[in-house]
């Protein structure tokens, strides 16, 4: 049975302040429903995300600001930093972890700058909402094997698709150099490359 993560509940003290903050980041406002002064539900969705965020009044017993380590995946960490800065989110500088596997909690073992090899999964930045709920952005360009359903290929934004096509074009150029011939079936080769890259499968040669 498929079990898809649909909603993450974030505890906030001031619902309208949180709503203003997240919608100012370009997160889609899906719902703002109140059945009285003691119950209100606001749902927003980050651009390109299949999962949404809910906050409001009487929707969680967690203390405001106690949600930490909420992760958002981006294809370009530098571009994400510039966008968050422009929109007033106050992001941290881009960093990577000293251990190189995942990031430690808080600010422990943070090393300034992106991962030196710009490895997929290796570069991060963080920001907090007005209540102190902590978000982490992680750059993922190529998925590890088995991380995606190979039958499902999707891109969150046109820029993500464009970047994937650039990587496919570079790889296809190497393919043609190896074969010593022009490939008239390049659309099929590109399509195969995009699907395999997202699924984390072995790439075509």
């Amino acid at each position: 049975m498929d079990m898809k993560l649909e909603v993450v509940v974030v505890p906030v003290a001031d619902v309208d302040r949180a709503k203003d903050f997240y919608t100012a980041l370009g997160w889609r406002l899906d719902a703002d429903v109140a059945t009285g002064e003691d119950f209100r539900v606001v749902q927003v969705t980050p651009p390109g995300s299949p999962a949404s965020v809910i906050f409001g009044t009487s929707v969680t017993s967690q203390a405001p600001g106690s949600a930490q380590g909420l992760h958002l995946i981006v294809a370009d960490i530098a571009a994400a930093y510039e966008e968050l800065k422009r929109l007033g989110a106050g992001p941290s500088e881009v960093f990577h972890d000293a251990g190189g596997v995942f990031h430690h909690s808080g600010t422990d073992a943070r090393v300034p700058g992106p991962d030196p090899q710009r490895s997929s999964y290796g570069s991060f930045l963080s920001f907090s909402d007005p209540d102190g709920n902590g978000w982490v952005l992680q750059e993922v360009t190529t998925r590890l094997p088995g991380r995606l359903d190979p039958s499902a290929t999707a891109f969150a934004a046109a820029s993500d698709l464009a970047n994937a096509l650039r990587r496919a074009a570079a790889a296809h150029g190497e393919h043609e150099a190896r074969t010593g011939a022009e490939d008239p079936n390049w659309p099929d080769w590109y399509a195969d490359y995009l699907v395999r890259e997202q699924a984390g499968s072995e790439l075509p040669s």
Side-chain angles (χ1 to χ4, degrees), residues 55-195:
F55 52 86
T57 305
S58 299
V59 297
T60 178
S61 59
Q62 291 178 280
S66 61
Q68 300 296 319
L70 302 164
H71 277 63
L72 299 168
I73 301 305
V74 297
D76 187 328
I77 198 73
Y81 169 81
E82 294 297 335
E83 180 170 310
L84 287 173
K85 184 177 179 180
R86 176 176 57 82
L87 295 174
S92 73
E93 295 295 327
V94 175
F95 65 92
H96 62 282
D97 190 78
V101 178
F102 191 63
H103 64 83
H104 288 67
S105 63
T107 58
D108 292 346
R110 286 190 180 186
V111 181
D115 176 75
Q117 283 74 47
R118 206 62 184 266
S119 302
S120 190
Y121 299 95
S123 301
F124 309 89
L125 66 78
S126 63
F127 74 94
S128 297
D129 71 8
D131 286 282
N133 294 301
W135 294 88
V136 175
L137 269 63
Q138 181 178 23
E139 183 180 72
V140 176
T141 52
T142 303
R143 296 281 178 175
L144 291 172
R147 295 295 180 91
L148 284 178
D149 181 350
S151 66
T153 304
F155 295 91
S159 60
D160 292 347
L161 175 57
N163 287 332
L165 286 169
R166 290 186 186 98
R167 294 191 295 273
H172 187 259
E174 295 173 1
H175 163 73
E176 288 186 323
R178 282 191 298 271
T179 61
E182 208 173 294
D183 179 12
N185 293 321
W186 65 266
D188 295 334
W189 199 98
Y190 273 43
D192 186 37
Y193 184 96
L194 297 179
V195 170

Side-chain angles (χ1 to χ4, degrees), residues 5-6 28 45-53 72 156:
L5 181 63
E6 185 79 12
R28 185 184 70 230
T45 303
S49 174
S52 300
V53 174
L72 299 168

